Amino acid sequence: MSHTPPEAPLESVPPLLVEPPWSEGAPRDTEPVVLKGLKAPRVATTVHWAPGQREEWLAKGRADYPPLGDTDWDAAAASFADGTIQQGERLRRRQSAFDILLHGPEEHGRALLADERYHADLSGTFALRGIVARYELDALPLVLHQDNLWALYPFFDARIAQLCLKHKDNSYSHPAKDWFVQHGPAAIALIVPDLLRRPGPKRERAEVHVRSVADAHGGEAVLEAVRPYGEEVVRAVASLGIDPLDRYPSPLPEIGFDVAALPPVLLAGRESALPEAAVRNLVTMFLISTPEKPYAGVERVVKACDPESLAEFAWALYKADDTRPRWTSPGVEYALRLLGDDRTAARLGPIVARWDKGTSWYNGGSSALGVFTSIGTDGALRQLHRLAQKAKDQRRIRRHSRSLIDGIAKRRGLDAEQLADLLVPDLGLDASGGLTLDYGPRRFTVGFDEHLKPFVAGEDGKRRKTLPKPGVRDDAALAPAAHQRFTELKKEARTVAAEQIKRLEAAMVKGRRWTPEEFRALFLAHPLMWHIARRLVWRSGEVEFRVAEDRGLADVRDDAVEISAPVELPHPLRLAAPDAWAEVFADYEILQPFPQLGRPVHTLTAKERDAARLERFEGARVHFGAILGLVDRGWKLGPKETGGFHRHVSRELAENSHLVIELDPGVRAVAPDEYAEQELRVVALARTSYGQGERLLADLDEVTASELLAELTRLTGAPGS
């Protein structure tokens, strides 16, 4: 039985969970403070650069507008001064102006900046930034004429503050926000009259900026900057939410479920649990949060709590939250992102995988993928990788997952397949690739067959079909835990086996390679993958080998070998001695996880090699379900055409190389069974996925050709070759 720790005394509970800012009796102004007659100070226009900003702007501007070359600077400047350049094209005039401003003598550039006739021509953020970096205040009239906030960052005065304040978009990446943050509390001092004016859009924008500056520079620094206005203003500005803990809605959202039914949240050390009132305050903090704008108190209080119990709490919130039509509320999504762990990812992954395209579109399902990337563990990324391969919604969930995995791999200096190699779980197996299950008076060992299906053996060494249920003589605690462990192992092994066997078969077809070091780490040393590795034939350079029972490497004569060249999993067409290897595997009674040595081999005829079409398959009639089966295996349906029909299906083989099958009448998107039988009208190799630009079948390497012919043979039931 699980034991719930006692309730923690209030002095041990984080103070924010005992008395949050919204607790009864906490002061909160409901009416905005309005102060009239305030005037902002007059300040001279100055320039303040962030560290490295000026150098970056100049380098970027010059890179985007490189010198035209061999320019006669005096003549070019004269053509602007006397206006003769205005007789030419505007684009050429613009290029010549940027050439002078970014690369020419500064005296010519300053003269050009002072000539307002050309201000309208000089648009472009990166060019303007380069000009600002070079000329500073002399460039300000040009930037103001262009009304380009992206180039105004270093300039500081009240006029620019008002210009930034007029812009309505105060999103995280907007230049108005960035300008205020760059200049900090001094910029807020210029807009105090707007902060405390009567409520309206301008005041709302000013309040957004004061909170951004307070977050970046500290609330005390903001209050000190406005102190010259007087203490009444200081108190009024302090009430605007410059303390992030004071930023919460009024009224607070209602909690629509029983907080007492949630699992306990334990304090660090797991010796006591939060009282119900503290849990209610924690729930409220999450409900007023979003992943983009979390309540500031959340991360402060969760640091005092046990991570495992917080993960269970977050999952319980997800199950209790009844948000429709969204997949969950933003606050609960934030809880899953912040508090989730491997078990959270393992629970959520299969749920997301089942969402169809309609569900994921209307319920914002793509945002659920952020839970996996936020958790960030190998277990969470493993779930994301599975979604990239198997999610029901191919257009959104699968595609977005694949994009996220590709991005994570790139940041690690890997490709997606290399990352997937590193995400293979060890399932808690020991170094030998096994597991001991302890029932107390008796023990069982776990092994794996060629399909990574686990089996158990008793202490007498005999295999059993399954692990026996705990008996009366077994340990009351150890035996049930061991039995549950084996149940979970079977489930996870089934999933992992299907993934890894499919990946290795694809690696064989593609001719993927690993360095010897990668091979040793990913296959020989991995407690799970070596079970597969020892049932296959490998090659390193000219050396063909298998993995022996002691994890040594042996050639076809059973002589020990060493490897130094890249390792691949050769297709039978690329094996030097496939028949000899078949005899070795038969002698050792080694069963392969997928066909390698016994794999059917197909070849193109001489006529086909000189053609673009595979006429032997044309005219065959197949069920539409077989076409959809191709899609599940990596083929792609063409776009919907008249009547909602997909009239071709294709497989990308390489860049500018696609095998395309034209269908008649085509698979109807809405009701595919309406025309159940499909004729393969044309089967051809083309440069595009829609059949344009013929390519000769002789362009295919022998393995690709064999695998394609095998798939088409299975599709049509045609005799092999």
Side-chain angles (χ1 to χ4, degrees):
M1 295 178 61
S2 61
H3 171 67
T4 302
E7 188 175 286
L10 290 182
E11 58 268 21
S12 300
V13 178
L16 270 176
L17 292 179
V18 178
E19 291 188 6
W22 55 81
S23 59
E24 188 175 352
R28 181 169 174 86
D29 295 326
T30 56
E31 292 295 326
V33 177
V34 176
L35 298 178
K36 298 180 179 180
L38 299 175
K39 292 185 178 181
R42 293 185 177 181
V43 294
T45 304
T46 53
V47 180
H48 304 279
W49 293 97
Q53 187 180 44
R54 186 178 188 183
E55 295 78 7
E56 179 185 346
W57 281 22
L58 183 57
K60 176 65 174 172
R62 285 175 166 172
D64 278 17
Y65 297 88
L68 298 177
D70 298 329
T71 301
D72 183 337
W73 298 116
D74 291 337
S79 69
F80 281 95
D82 62 20
T84 57
I85 198 170
Q86 290 182 323
Q87 300 171 9
E89 295 180 357
R90 183 175 183 272
L91 178 60
R92 183 173 180 80
R93 184 166 67 245
R94 179 170 176 266
Q95 290 175 330
S96 181
F98 284 156
D99 197 36
I100 293 173
L101 290 166
L102 292 170
H103 305 285
E106 286 194 18
E107 63 269 20
H108 290 328
R110 295 186 193 281
L112 181 54
L113 288 173
D115 194 334
E116 296 182 359
R117 291 178 296 171
Y118 303 104
H119 283 186
D121 294 335
L122 305 181
S123 61
T125 294
F126 294 123
L128 287 177
R129 283 181 165 186
I131 294 167
V132 168
R134 196 172 187 206
Y135 301 97
E136 295 190 308
L137 285 174
D138 286 340
L140 180 56
L142 168 63
V143 177
L144 291 173
H145 179 88
Q146 290 288 342
D147 193 27
N148 191 316
L149 263 62
W150 296 99
L152 277 175
Y153 285 5
F155 300 113
F156 178 79
D157 64 19
R159 173 181 49 170
I160 296 171
Q162 288 298 313
L163 182 62
C164 291
L165 198 57
K166 290 178 181 177
H167 280 257
K168 297 179 181 179
D169 186 354
N170 295 313
S171 62
Y172 283 95
S173 62
H174 195 268
K177 170 190 177 290
D178 295 341
W179 183 87
F180 278 100
V181 169
Q182 179 159 324
H183 294 284
I188 297 303
L190 299 179
I191 62 167
V192 168
D194 303 290
L195 275 171
L196 301 177
R197 65 181 290 160
R198 58 185 175 80
K202 193 173 185 182
R203 173 168 175 153
E204 290 174 4
R205 293 194 292 273
E207 289 182 4
V208 169
H209 292 312
V210 76
R211 288 192 282 269
S212 295
V213 172
D215 290 346
H217 298 272
E220 287 301 319
V222 171
L223 296 181
E224 195 59 33
V226 304
R227 197 170 300 280
Y229 284 93
E231 291 305 313
E232 185 180 15
V233 168
V234 172
R235 290 191 296 272
V237 173
S239 72
L240 298 178
I242 63 169
D243 184 346
L245 293 178
D246 289 334
R247 298 177 202 165
Y248 56 88
S250 182
L252 293 168
E254 295 184 4
I255 300 175
F257 48 84
D258 183 8
V259 172
L262 297 175
V265 177
L266 308 184
L267 291 173
R270 300 182 63 85
E271 294 183 356
S272 59
L274 292 180
E276 183 180 330
V279 174
R280 180 173 291 276
N281 288 329
L282 181 59
V283 171
T284 299
M285 288 184 182
F286 278 110
L287 294 185
I288 63 176
S289 297
T290 69
E292 297 74 26
K293 293 184 178 180
Y295 179 65
V298 172
E299 293 200 24
R300 303 187 192 186
V301 299
V302 299
K303 290 178 180 178
C305 301
D306 170 68
E308 184 179 340
S309 68
L310 284 172
E312 288 299 311
F313 164 77
W315 186 254
L317 277 184
Y318 169 66
K319 300 299 288 185
D321 183 49
D322 187 21
T323 301
R324 296 292 184 272
R326 202 176 189 276
W327 72 277
T328 196
S329 64
V332 173
E333 179 183 336
Y334 171 57
L336 292 171
R337 291 186 179 210
L338 180 67
L339 309 178
D341 57 12
D342 278 355
R343 191 173 182 187
T344 308
R347 288 165 163 172
L348 185 61
I351 294 173
V352 178
R354 291 193 296 269
W355 290 343
D356 58 27
K357 62 181 181 181
T359 305
S360 62
W361 175 258
Y362 290 111
N363 70 2
S366 294
S367 73
L369 303 181
V371 175
F372 303 104
T373 55
S374 296
I375 294 174
T377 61
D378 283 357
L381 297 184
R382 193 175 303 126
Q383 294 295 328
L384 190 63
H385 187 268
R386 287 174 181 169
L387 291 171
Q389 307 300 317
K390 298 180 178 180
K392 184 177 180 180
D393 177 15
Q394 297 187 37
R395 174 172 286 186
R396 295 174 184 84
I397 299 299
R398 195 181 292 191
R399 185 181 297 175
H400 192 190
S401 298
R402 190 177 298 119
S403 175
L404 291 171
I405 284 291
D406 288 344
I408 293 167
K410 186 176 181 180
R411 288 192 292 275
R412 295 190 184 186
L414 307 170
D415 61 34
E417 282 302 314
Q418 289 173 319
L419 177 60
D421 285 340
L422 299 177
L423 296 179
V424 180
D426 61 18
L427 302 186
L429 304 178
D430 58 32
S432 67
L435 182 68
T436 300
L437 299 172
D438 190 357
Y439 272 34
R442 51 183 179 154
R443 293 186 175 186
F444 303 89
T445 57
V446 177
F448 293 85
D449 65 15
E450 69 276 8
H451 298 297
L452 286 189
K453 184 178 180 181
F455 60 82
V456 293
E459 292 173 301
D460 57 5
K462 293 182 179 180
R463 285 195 186 186
R464 295 172 174 264
K465 291 183 178 180
T466 187
L467 186 67
K469 292 183 178 180
V472 293
R473 296 182 180 180
D474 294 320
D475 187 281
L478 292 176
H483 192 273
Q484 178 63 27
R485 175 75 180 87
F486 185 67
T487 300
E488 294 173 353
L489 177 67
K490 287 193 296 182
K491 181 179 179 181
E492 183 66 6
R494 184 165 55 247
T495 301
V496 174
E499 293 172 349
Q500 300 311 315
I501 291 172
K502 181 179 179 181
R503 288 185 63 235
L504 284 179
E505 187 171 14
M508 178 188 71
V509 173
K510 294 177 181 177
R512 189 182 167 205
R513 294 184 175 188
W514 297 264
T515 66
E517 295 73 24
E518 288 173 329
F519 178 75
R520 294 185 184 99
L522 298 171
F523 296 101
L524 297 187
H526 196 283
L528 186 66
M529 291 301 291
W530 95 277
H531 287 289
I532 301 180
R534 69 189 185 92
R535 301 176 187 278
L536 297 164
V537 180
W538 302 83
R539 185 171 68 191
S540 174
E542 298 301 319
V543 178
E544 295 177 357
F545 65 91
R546 69 180 181 91
V547 179
E549 290 71 12
D550 61 357
R551 303 198 192 197
L553 308 182
D555 64 16
V556 73
R557 295 180 298 275
D558 258 357
D559 295 331
V561 298
E562 295 293 333
I563 59 174
S564 57
V567 179
E568 62 181 310
L569 188 58
H571 189 277
L573 281 168
R574 292 174 177 162
L575 276 172
D579 294 337
W581 276 116
E583 289 182 14
V584 171
F585 274 53
D587 289 344
Y588 281 100
E589 297 182 343
I590 299 173
L591 300 177
Q592 295 199 293
F594 56 82
Q596 182 193 25
L597 297 175
R599 196 176 193 85
V601 171
H602 300 261
T603 57
L604 295 165
T605 66
K607 179 181 178 181
E608 287 171 338
R609 282 194 293 271
D610 292 332
R613 291 168 60 174
L614 287 167
E615 294 181 357
R616 66 169 113 163
F617 300 108
E618 294 179 353
R621 295 182 177 275
V622 301
H623 190 270
F624 79 89
I627 302 298
L628 297 181
L630 291 178
V631 175
D632 289 338
R633 295 191 296 275
W635 292 64
K636 181 181 178 182
L637 283 172
K640 285 187 292 186
E641 301 178 21
T642 304
F645 288 93
H646 299 283
R647 291 195 167 91
H648 64 265
V649 63
S650 65
R651 178 158 200 149
E652 184 175 10
L653 307 176
E655 187 176 0
N656 298 324
S657 181
H658 304 257
L659 191 75
V660 183
I661 302 175
E662 291 186 16
L663 304 171
D664 184 31
V667 178
R668 195 168 190 182
V670 176
D673 56 347
E674 184 176 351
Y675 298 93
E677 189 176 77
Q678 297 290 324
E679 179 186 349
L680 311 189
R681 291 191 59 198
V682 176
V683 182
L685 190 65
R687 295 186 177 277
T688 68
S689 62
Y690 46 88
Q692 295 297 310
E694 288 187 349
R695 295 198 62 164
L696 293 181
L697 290 163
D699 291 344
L700 300 178
D701 66 81
E702 59 179 357
V703 171
T704 301
S706 178
E707 292 298 310
L708 277 177
L709 292 171
E711 186 149 39
L712 293 171
T713 298
R714 290 191 296 270
L715 175 68
T716 62
S721 60

